[in-house]
């Protein structure tokens, strides 16, 4: 069974990270990271990396919008 894609909006990014504030990012499943208050994100270079969960706000995205986001990412 395929899980729904999750997305989050970056609300804070250090100058040394590959993130853009106010940009929507795909959240990748990682239970271990969540237990440590981190989430796994595909960053601006398309690589997955752990970032503090507090730097993001999770959002609900309609399926059609999610498909579009994933195509342009």
């Amino acid at each position: 069974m395929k899980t729904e894609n999750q997305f989050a909006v970056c609300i804070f990014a250090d100058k040394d990270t590959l993130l853009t504030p106010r940009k929507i990012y795909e959240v990748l499943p990682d239970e271990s990271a969540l237990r440590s208050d981190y989430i796994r994100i595909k960053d601006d270079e398309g690589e997955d990396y752990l970032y503090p969960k507090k730097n993001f706000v999770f959002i609900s995205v309609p399926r059609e919008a999610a498909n579009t986001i994933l195509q342009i990412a």
Side-chain angles (χ1 to χ4, degrees):
M1 181 173 162
K2 186 178 183 323
T3 59
E4 292 287 322
N5 294 89
Q6 287 191 323
F7 296 93
V9 175
C10 178
I11 57 171
F12 175 79
D14 288 331
K15 63 179 178 169
D16 297 331
T17 62
L18 296 171
L19 299 172
T20 304
R22 297 182 305 276
K23 183 175 176 180
I24 298 172
Y25 290 92
E26 181 181 7
V27 179
L28 303 174
D30 189 329
E31 292 298 320
S32 177
L34 280 174
R35 286 191 295 274
S36 300
D37 287 330
Y38 281 78
I39 57 176
R40 187 168 295 280
I41 297 289
K42 281 189 178 180
D43 63 23
D44 289 345
E45 290 188 341
E47 299 294 324
D48 63 282
Y49 195 78
L50 294 177
Y51 290 99
K53 185 177 166 184
K54 67 181 181 180
N55 294 352
F56 297 86
V57 173
F58 285 87
I59 59 171
S60 296
V61 177
R63 182 173 295 164
E64 185 176 305
N67 291 338
T68 301
I69 291 168
L70 292 172
Q71 286 176 1
I72 62 174

